[in-house]
Each structure stands twice: as C-alpha cells, then as structure tokens.
C-alpha cells in the first residue's frame, strides 16, 4: 500500500496541464483499440492488441484523473460550462 500512496503523491505533484494532456492521450488509445479490429490479422493478435491498447487508454484516463485530482476536475467542468455559455451567447438571434 505504501507503493500506491507514493505513486499517488508523485502524480499529484504534476501540473494541471500535464493532467489534461494525459487525459487527452486516452482518446487515441480508445480509437486505436477498436480501429485495430479492421486489420487483416488473426483473432488472437486482435485480442492481444485490444487488451494492450484498451489498457493503455484506461491507464491514461485514471492517471490523468489522479494527476488532476478533485479540484482539477472541478476546474475542467467550469471551463466546459464557460465555453458552452459563450457559444450560446454568440449565436445570432433570428
């Protein structure tokens, strides 16, 4: 358990920007994990690729959440709310 708490502490020291970048890295891994099904390779190789790529996606997702923490997630939600409100205000009235 000490190892896990050490990892959490180390990740928690990283910046907000790093957390967002790590979170965004999960998107290509999710896409690749399902896109590789279109490759002309054996089912066993597809299964291995899916497990590896999906695992990387989940690792990036949870790693990014750990880096961001609760306050970082609140900050991201507030940013998306502001962006949505600005877009609705800019639309011309008809």
């Amino acid at each position: 358990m000490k190892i896990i708490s050490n990892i959490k502490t180390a990740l928690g020291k990283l910046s907000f920007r790093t957390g967002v970048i790590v979170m965004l890295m999960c998107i290509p891994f999710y896409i690749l994990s399902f896109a590789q099904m279109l490759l002309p390779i054996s089912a066993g190789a597809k299964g291995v690729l899916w497990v590896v790529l999906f695992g990387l996606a989940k690792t990036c997702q949870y790693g990014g959440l750990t880096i961001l923490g609760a306050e970082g997630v609140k900050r991201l939600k507030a940013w998306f709310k502001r962006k949505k409100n600005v877009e609705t205000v800019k639309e011309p009235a008809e």
Side-chain angles (χ1 to χ4, degrees), residues 37-92:
M37 295 294 180
L38 300 173
L39 294 174
I41 55 177
S42 70
K46 287 180 183 182
V48 170
L49 273 174
W50 185 83
V51 167
V52 169
L53 291 169
F54 196 78
L56 284 169
K58 283 296 184 186
T59 302
C60 287
Q61 180 182 353
Y62 291 127
L65 285 173
T66 304
I67 293 168
L68 289 175
E71 289 301 316
V73 172
K74 287 179 187 174
R75 198 168 147 190
L76 270 179
K77 284 182 180 180
W79 182 80
F80 279 115
K81 268 187 189 173
R82 275 195 312 267
K83 186 171 175 154
K84 183 179 177 183
N85 289 339
V86 168
E87 287 175 357
T88 57
V89 170
K90 286 184 179 179
E91 290 181 14

